[in-house]
Amino acid sequence: MPIVAAGDPVLRTGTTRYEDQLDPVLLARFVEALRVTMHAAPGVGLAAPQVGVELRIAVIEDPAPVPEEVRLARGRVPQPFRVLVNPEYEPVGSARAAFFEGCLSVPGYQAVVARHAEVRLTGSDEHGRPLDEVFTGWPARIVQHETDHLDGLLYLDRAEPRSLSANQAVLDRWTQPTADLAARALGFELP
Ligand code: ZN
């Protein structure tokens, strides 16, 4: 499916709770289409509004092909494929983590976002089974990013404006495991 880019109101209006608006066969096809689209992008998460659908559904999956030092600093561990239906998150503790992130709906750029280091995610899966799970590290970042999409928020709303970097600049300069160097050089605060 084509991915909607920032500027389209569908990314800003929020979503309707999923209450079996799709019959099971159609839901399964939609979830599969989200999965294929996420893989093709490629990305580690995709929310229904990003393909123009105003339902509270998202998918996540991260094989986390990163060097050991990055895995340790960012908590970027593999996250198996999951379907999030009607997800909501709340912080667990007060710790925050700030790293560069990007969005398939905002191509070409990345920015540093300080997010809860640990969140409790509630909702259900695609079969209606309850979901109540604590996420930490990079998976916590992914579920916050995707759930925010379902509330009409983009990562830029929470980003350090001075950290905004073109993808090429990130590749050239900001691939360190942490955002410390970028914070000093670009002039923004880390939590
Ligand atoms: Zn996004």
Side-chain angles (χ1 to χ4, degrees):
M1 294 181 283
I3 294 177
V4 170
D8 189 315
V10 73
L11 293 171
R12 292 308 199 172
T13 47
T15 48
T16 305
R17 275 184 65 81
Y18 181 70
E19 310 271 4
D20 299 327
Q21 290 94 333
L22 311 177
D23 72 46
V25 173
L26 190 54
L27 175 64
R29 285 181 61 190
F30 180 56
V31 163
E32 177 61 9
L34 283 173
R35 193 181 70 84
V36 168
T37 304
M38 172 177 68
H39 285 170
V44 297
L46 190 66
Q50 292 182 276
V51 294
V53 174
E54 295 173 297
L55 289 173
R56 201 168 180 84
I57 299 173
V59 297
I60 61 172
E61 182 176 12
D62 183 13
V66 294
E68 175 79 357
E69 58 172 0
V70 170
R71 183 178 68 76
L72 290 172
R74 302 182 192 173
R76 188 155 175 193
V77 293
Q79 168 62 55
F81 179 74
R82 295 281 292 272
V83 182
L84 311 179
V85 175
N86 299 327
E88 309 269 358
Y89 68 82
E90 61 185 51
V92 176
S94 57
R96 296 177 76 79
F99 295 105
F100 277 99
E101 67 180 68
C103 177
L104 296 175
S105 294
V106 188
Y109 292 89
Q110 297 180 47
V112 171
V113 188
R115 293 193 181 273
H116 305 298
E118 192 166 296
V119 295
R120 177 184 178 194
L121 192 76
T122 54
S124 67
D125 70 9
E126 71 274 38
H127 306 294
R129 290 183 293 235
L131 163 73
D132 185 346
E133 194 173 322
V134 172
F135 287 78
T136 60
W138 208 258
R141 178 167 300 268
I142 296 170
V143 299
Q144 288 172 80
H145 180 119
E146 299 311 325
T147 303
D148 283 354
H149 270 303
L150 303 176
D151 290 322
L153 289 171
L154 294 175
Y155 83 98
L156 291 171
D157 302 337
R158 302 189 186 280
E160 290 291 343
R162 293 184 65 107
S163 72
L164 184 67
S165 299
N167 280 345
Q168 191 61 49
V170 174
L171 270 176
D172 291 345
R173 300 170 181 276
W174 310 133
T175 54
Q176 303 84 22
T178 73
D180 293 5
L181 192 60
R184 283 199 298 276
L186 300 177
F188 61 91
E189 299 287 322
L190 292 173

Coordinates of all heavy atoms in Angstrom, one line a residue, residues 13-50:
T13 N -5.8 13.4 12.4 CA -7.2 13.4 13.0 C -7.4 12.4 14.1 O -8.4 12.4 14.7 CB -8.2 13.1 11.8 OG1 -7.7 12.0 11.1 CG2 -8.3 14.3 10.9
G14 N -6.4 11.5 14.3 CA -6.6 10.4 15.3 C -7.5 9.3 14.7 O -7.9 9.4 13.5
T15 N -7.7 8.3 15.4 CA -8.3 7.1 14.9 C -9.5 6.7 15.7 O -9.7 7.0 16.9 CB -7.3 5.9 14.8 OG1 -6.7 5.8 16.1 CG2 -6.3 6.1 13.8
T16 N -10.4 5.8 15.1 CA -11.5 5.2 15.8 C -11.1 3.9 16.4 O -10.3 3.1 15.8 CB -12.6 4.9 14.8 OG1 -12.9 6.2 14.1 CG2 -13.9 4.4 15.5
R17 N -11.5 3.6 17.6 CA -11.2 2.3 18.3 C -11.7 1.2 17.3 O -12.8 1.3 16.7 CB -11.9 2.2 19.6 CG -11.2 2.8 20.8 CD -12.0 2.6 22.1 NE -12.0 1.1 22.4 CZ -11.0 0.5 23.0 NH1 -9.9 1.1 23.3 NH2 -11.2 -0.8 23.3
Y18 N -10.9 0.2 17.3 CA -11.3 -1.0 16.4 C -12.3 -1.8 17.2 O -12.1 -2.3 18.3 CB -10.1 -1.9 16.1 CG -10.5 -3.0 15.2 CD1 -11.0 -2.8 13.9 CD2 -10.6 -4.3 15.7 CE1 -11.4 -3.8 13.1 CE2 -11.1 -5.3 14.9 CZ -11.5 -5.1 13.6 OH -11.9 -6.1 12.8
E19 N -13.5 -1.9 16.6 CA -14.6 -2.6 17.3 C -15.2 -3.5 16.2 O -16.4 -3.4 15.9 CB -15.7 -1.6 17.8 CG -15.2 -0.5 18.6 CD -15.2 -0.8 20.1 OE1 -15.5 -2.0 20.5 OE2 -14.8 0.1 20.9
D20 N -14.4 -4.4 15.6 CA -14.9 -5.3 14.6 C -15.5 -4.7 13.4 O -16.5 -5.3 12.8 CB -15.9 -6.3 15.3 CG -15.2 -7.1 16.4 OD1 -14.0 -7.4 16.3 OD2 -15.9 -7.5 17.3
Q21 N -15.0 -3.5 13.0 CA -15.6 -2.8 11.8 C -15.3 -3.7 10.6 O -16.0 -3.6 9.5 CB -15.0 -1.4 11.6 CG -15.4 -0.4 12.6 CD -14.5 -0.3 13.8 OE1 -13.8 -1.2 14.1 NE2 -14.5 0.9 14.4
L22 N -14.2 -4.5 10.6 CA -13.8 -5.3 9.5 C -14.2 -6.8 9.8 O -14.0 -7.2 11.0 CB -12.3 -5.3 9.2 CG -11.7 -3.9 9.1 CD1 -10.2 -3.9 8.9 CD2 -12.4 -3.1 8.0
D23 N -14.7 -7.5 8.8 CA -14.9 -9.0 9.2 C -13.6 -9.6 9.3 O -12.6 -9.1 8.8 CB -15.9 -9.6 8.2 CG -15.2 -9.9 6.8 OD1 -14.1 -10.3 6.8 OD2 -15.9 -9.5 5.8
P24 N -13.5 -10.8 9.9 CA -12.2 -11.4 10.3 C -11.3 -11.6 9.0 O -10.1 -11.5 9.1 CB -12.6 -12.7 10.9 CG -14.0 -12.5 11.5 CD -14.6 -11.5 10.5
V25 N -11.9 -12.0 7.9 CA -11.1 -12.2 6.7 C -10.5 -10.9 6.2 O -9.3 -10.8 5.9 CB -12.0 -12.8 5.6 CG1 -11.2 -12.9 4.3 CG2 -12.4 -14.2 6.0
L26 N -11.3 -9.8 6.2 CA -10.8 -8.5 5.8 C -9.7 -8.0 6.8 O -8.7 -7.4 6.4 CB -11.9 -7.5 5.7 CG -11.6 -6.2 5.0 CD1 -11.0 -6.4 3.6 CD2 -12.8 -5.3 4.8
L27 N -9.9 -8.2 8.1 CA -8.9 -7.8 9.1 C -7.6 -8.5 8.8 O -6.5 -7.9 8.8 CB -9.4 -8.0 10.5 CG -8.4 -7.7 11.6 CD1 -8.1 -6.2 11.6 CD2 -8.9 -8.2 13.0
A28 N -7.7 -9.8 8.6 CA -6.5 -10.6 8.3 C -5.7 -10.1 7.1 O -4.5 -10.0 7.1 CB -6.8 -12.0 8.2
R29 N -6.5 -9.7 6.0 CA -5.9 -9.2 4.8 C -5.3 -7.8 5.1 O -4.2 -7.5 4.5 CB -7.0 -9.1 3.7 CG -7.3 -10.4 3.1 CD -8.3 -10.3 2.0 NE -7.9 -9.5 0.9 CZ -8.6 -9.1 -0.1 NH1 -9.9 -9.4 -0.1 NH2 -8.1 -8.4 -1.1
F30 N -5.9 -7.0 5.9 CA -5.4 -5.7 6.1 C -4.1 -5.8 6.9 O -3.1 -5.1 6.6 CB -6.5 -4.8 6.9 CG -6.0 -3.5 7.3 CD1 -5.5 -2.6 6.3 CD2 -6.0 -3.0 8.6 CE1 -5.1 -1.3 6.6 CE2 -5.5 -1.7 8.9 CZ -5.1 -0.9 7.9
V31 N -4.1 -6.6 8.0 CA -2.9 -6.8 8.8 C -1.8 -7.3 7.9 O -0.6 -6.9 8.0 CB -3.2 -7.8 10.0 CG1 -1.9 -8.3 10.6 CG2 -4.1 -7.1 11.0
E32 N -2.0 -8.3 7.0 CA -1.0 -8.8 6.1 C -0.5 -7.7 5.2 O 0.7 -7.6 5.0 CB -1.5 -10.0 5.3 CG -0.6 -10.5 4.3 CD 0.7 -11.1 4.9 OE1 0.8 -11.2 6.2 OE2 1.6 -11.4 4.1
A33 N -1.4 -6.8 4.7 CA -1.0 -5.7 3.9 C -0.1 -4.7 4.6 O 0.9 -4.2 4.1 CB -2.2 -5.0 3.3
L34 N -0.4 -4.5 5.9 CA 0.4 -3.6 6.7 C 1.8 -4.2 6.9 O 2.8 -3.5 6.8 CB -0.2 -3.4 8.1 CG -1.4 -2.5 8.2 CD1 -2.0 -2.5 9.7 CD2 -1.0 -1.0 7.9
R35 N 1.8 -5.5 7.1 CA 3.1 -6.2 7.3 C 4.0 -6.1 6.1 O 5.2 -5.8 6.2 CB 2.9 -7.7 7.7 CG 4.1 -8.4 8.3 CD 3.8 -9.9 8.6 NE 3.5 -10.6 7.4 CZ 4.5 -11.2 6.6 NH1 5.8 -11.1 7.0 NH2 4.2 -11.9 5.5
V36 N 3.4 -6.4 5.0 CA 4.1 -6.4 3.7 C 4.6 -5.0 3.4 O 5.8 -4.8 3.0 CB 3.3 -6.9 2.5 CG1 3.9 -6.7 1.2 CG2 3.0 -8.4 2.7
T37 N 3.8 -4.0 3.6 CA 4.1 -2.6 3.4 C 5.3 -2.2 4.3 O 6.2 -1.5 3.9 CB 2.9 -1.7 3.6 OG1 1.9 -2.2 2.7 CG2 3.2 -0.2 3.2
M38 N 5.2 -2.6 5.6 CA 6.2 -2.2 6.5 C 7.6 -2.8 6.1 O 8.6 -2.2 6.1 CB 5.9 -2.7 7.9 CG 7.0 -2.6 9.0 SD 6.4 -3.2 10.6 CE 6.2 -4.9 10.4
H39 N 7.5 -4.1 5.7 CA 8.8 -4.7 5.3 C 9.4 -4.1 4.0 O 10.6 -3.9 3.9 CB 8.5 -6.2 5.0 CG 8.3 -7.1 6.2 ND1 7.9 -8.4 6.1 CD2 8.5 -6.8 7.5 CE1 7.8 -8.9 7.3 NE2 8.2 -7.9 8.2
A40 N 8.5 -3.7 3.1 CA 9.0 -3.2 1.8 C 9.6 -1.8 2.0 O 10.5 -1.4 1.2 CB 7.8 -3.1 0.8
A41 N 9.1 -1.1 3.0 CA 9.5 0.4 3.2 C 11.0 0.6 3.2 O 11.5 1.4 2.5 CB 8.8 1.0 4.3
P42 N 11.9 -0.1 4.0 CA 11.5 -0.9 5.1 C 11.4 -0.1 6.4 O 12.0 1.0 6.5 CB 12.7 -1.9 5.2 CG 13.9 -1.0 4.8 CD 13.3 0.0 3.8
G43 N 10.6 -0.6 7.3 CA 10.4 0.1 8.6 C 10.2 -0.9 9.7 O 10.1 -2.1 9.5
V44 N 10.2 -0.4 11.0 CA 10.0 -1.3 12.1 C 8.6 -1.2 12.8 O 8.4 -1.8 13.8 CB 11.1 -1.1 13.2 CG1 12.5 -1.4 12.6 CG2 11.1 0.4 13.7
G45 N 7.8 -0.4 12.1 CA 6.4 -0.2 12.6 C 5.6 0.5 11.5 O 6.2 1.2 10.7
L46 N 4.3 0.3 11.6 CA 3.4 1.0 10.6 C 2.0 1.0 11.3 O 1.5 0.0 11.7 CB 3.4 0.2 9.3 CG 2.7 1.0 8.1 CD1 3.5 2.2 7.7 CD2 2.5 0.0 6.9
A47 N 1.5 2.2 11.2 CA 0.1 2.4 11.8 C -0.9 2.7 10.7 O -0.6 3.2 9.7 CB 0.2 3.7 12.8
A48 N -2.1 2.2 11.0 CA -3.2 2.3 9.9 C -3.3 3.6 9.3 O -3.5 3.7 8.0 CB -4.5 1.8 10.5
P49 N -3.2 4.8 10.0 CA -3.4 6.1 9.3 C -2.3 6.3 8.3 O -2.5 7.1 7.4 CB -3.2 7.1 10.5 CG -3.6 6.3 11.7 CD -3.1 4.9 11.5
Q50 N -1.2 5.6 8.4 CA -0.1 5.8 7.5 C -0.4 5.2 6.1 O 0.3 5.5 5.1 CB 1.2 5.2 8.0 CG 1.8 6.0 9.2 CD 3.1 5.4 9.6 OE1 3.2 4.5 10.4 NE2 4.2 6.0 9.1

